């Protein structure tokens, strides 16, 4: 069972994340992606970014936690949602962009590489990826929840074999300069 499949962990996350969302990321994405484009969101969690993205784009929301999907579905019965693991991304649908906000740090780096390969297969030509990570080095686990931290160079090395990097930028979420945003184009 993944960490967020436990309802109490999902509820604790919602409380902890109060006041935070991907508004700035969505604003940035709109500079590079036409309104109406079809986005796959990986690890949507409670769905705050899905709501924001849906103001401009057609969005398919996904998560590995059925708890989060069920919570969102209860308020949005018509939402396009799928239970998907970020590593295997088992769908034959194709997208204009793939987005995640603080999700892919939960994968070990070898699994992130598998995910990046799979994302390339799911994207249309010239499709975009936009992913937010925690900045830092090394890894740690809390309560069985794994976190891998990355530098700008780490992420450039991971994404550049299959993608043209548009930007890898430092930004601040909970602490000063604690986060990294990767924006890259399929090639
Ligand atoms: C820190 S939360 C972020 C949730 C949401 N993106 C947000 O910004 O509030 C991490 C999310 O990633 C999901 N997740 C973790 N591992 C995953 C995996 N292997 N595949 C898909 N989703 C995963 C969790 O279930 C959780 O919803």
């Amino acid at each position: 069972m993944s960490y967020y499949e436990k309802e109490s962990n999902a509820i604790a996350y919602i409380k902890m994340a109060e006041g935070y969302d991907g508004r700035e990321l969505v604003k940035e994405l709109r500079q590079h992606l036409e309104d109406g484009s079809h986005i796959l969101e990986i690890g949507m969690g409670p769905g705050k970014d899905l709501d924001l993205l849906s103001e401009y784009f057609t969005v398919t929301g996904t998560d590995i936690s059925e708890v989060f999907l069920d919570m969102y579905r209860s308020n949005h019965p018509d939402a396009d949602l799928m239970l998907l693991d970020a590593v295997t991304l088992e769908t034959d649908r194709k997208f204009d962009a793939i987005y995640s906000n603080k999700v892919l740090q939960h994968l070990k780096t070898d699994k992130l590489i598998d995910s990046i390969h799979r994302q390339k297969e799911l994207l249309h030509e010239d499709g975009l990826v936009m992913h937010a990570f925690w900045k830092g080095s090394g890894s740690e686990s809390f309560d069985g929840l794994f976190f891998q931290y990355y530098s700008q160079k780490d992420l450039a090395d991971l994404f550049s074999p299959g993608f043209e990097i548009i930007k890898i930028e430092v930004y601040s979420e909970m602490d000063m300069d604690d986060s990294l945003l990767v924006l890259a184009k399929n090639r």
Side-chain angles (χ1 to χ4, degrees):
M1 191 201 255
S2 83
Y3 180 85
Y4 288 112
E5 279 167 288
K6 201 169 159 196
E7 192 171 8
S8 56
N9 288 337
I11 290 168
Y13 174 75
I14 291 170
K15 201 163 167 35
M16 191 274 295
E18 256 170 40
Y20 297 99
D21 62 36
R23 195 170 302 270
E24 293 303 317
L25 306 182
V26 175
K27 213 186 270 179
E28 174 70 33
L29 185 58
R30 284 194 74 210
Q31 309 288 317
H32 302 271
L33 189 67
E34 254 180 65
D35 282 3
S37 299
H38 192 180
I39 299 182
L40 171 72
E41 182 179 6
I42 298 174
M44 59 178 272
K48 283 198 271 188
D49 290 12
L50 179 52
D51 286 340
L52 293 167
L53 289 163
S54 300
E55 289 178 27
Y56 312 103
F57 305 107
T58 301
V59 193
T60 300
T62 73
D63 205 282
I64 202 169
S65 161
E66 193 72 76
V67 172
F68 276 135
L69 296 178
D70 285 345
M71 281 181 185
Y72 192 83
R73 222 180 255 121
S74 66
N75 295 318
H76 307 78
D78 298 328
D80 179 21
L81 304 183
M82 287 193 285
L83 184 69
L84 277 193
D85 182 341
V87 180
T88 51
L89 295 170
E90 284 183 63
T91 174
D92 51 15
R93 294 167 72 180
K94 294 255 187 184
F95 301 90
D96 301 309
I98 300 180
Y99 173 97
S100 75
N101 187 0
K102 302 291 171 60
V103 175
L104 300 177
Q105 75 276 353
H106 294 311
L107 306 181
K108 300 259 167 76
T109 302
D110 59 332
K111 297 293 178 194
L112 174 60
I113 292 169
D114 291 346
S115 174
I116 293 169
H117 286 147
R118 187 68 193 123
Q119 289 178 41
K120 204 171 153 53
E121 292 171 351
L122 261 53
L123 280 173
H124 292 130
E125 208 181 311
D126 290 343
L128 297 180
V129 288
M130 175 179 265
H131 298 299
F133 292 85
W134 293 113
K135 177 169 158 286
S137 59
S139 64
E140 56 189 346
S141 290
F142 298 109
D143 243 355
L145 185 60
F146 175 81
F147 288 80
Q148 177 69 52
Y149 301 95
Y150 291 102
S151 66
Q152 278 166 296
K153 181 182 182 312
D154 295 332
L155 292 175
D157 290 346
L158 287 164
F159 281 90
S160 57
F163 289 86
E164 178 193 326
I165 307 289
I166 298 171
K167 57 166 73 171
I168 300 183
E169 206 168 71
V170 179
Y171 70 99
S172 306
E173 184 156 34
M174 292 184 160
D175 290 310
M176 190 69 172
D177 295 345
D178 60 357
S179 300
L180 285 171
L181 171 67
V182 177
L183 176 63
K185 183 153 96 172
N186 195 9
R187 58 157 175 229

